Amino acid sequence: MLIRHATQSDLAEWLRLRSRLWPDCPMEDHQSEIQEQLNDPAHNAVFVVEQTIDQLGGFLEASLRPFVEDCHTSPV
């Protein structure tokens, strides 16, 4: 098992996994959210688990948010 940062080459598999996790979310929303995360690596980190050479077995999306309700520091 290999865990690594997601790259542009992971888009199709990442999209497949996201759409299975959140099936009610429109595909266009998944695609734009993935691209936003890849375009802002200073505030987002995405890790993927390689299951085989061309198939991912999982992913983790993490981000810094400018605020969270009832939190007095930033970023969160």
Side-chain angles (χ1 to χ4, degrees), residues 3-55:
I3 298 172
R4 60 174 174 73
H5 281 277
T7 65
Q8 290 284 343
S9 64
D10 297 314
L11 290 177
E13 275 296 289
W14 186 4
L15 181 61
R16 179 184 69 81
L17 291 172
R18 271 181 138 256
S19 64
R20 291 188 70 192
L21 183 60
W22 298 298
D24 295 333
C25 182
M27 199 62 69
E28 297 79 25
D29 290 353
H30 283 305
Q31 291 170 327
S32 66
E33 290 171 9
I34 286 172
Q35 204 55 56
E36 285 175 23
Q37 292 181 65
L38 286 175
N39 290 342
D40 190 5
H43 293 98
N44 300 292
V46 179
F47 298 92
V48 294
V49 178
E50 283 188 13
Q51 190 166 0
T52 64
I53 292 174
D54 54 354
Q55 186 176 31

Side-chain angles (χ1 to χ4, degrees), residues 65-67 71-76:
R65 295 174 52 182
F67 68 92
C71 187
H72 302 288
T73 60
S74 181
V76 179

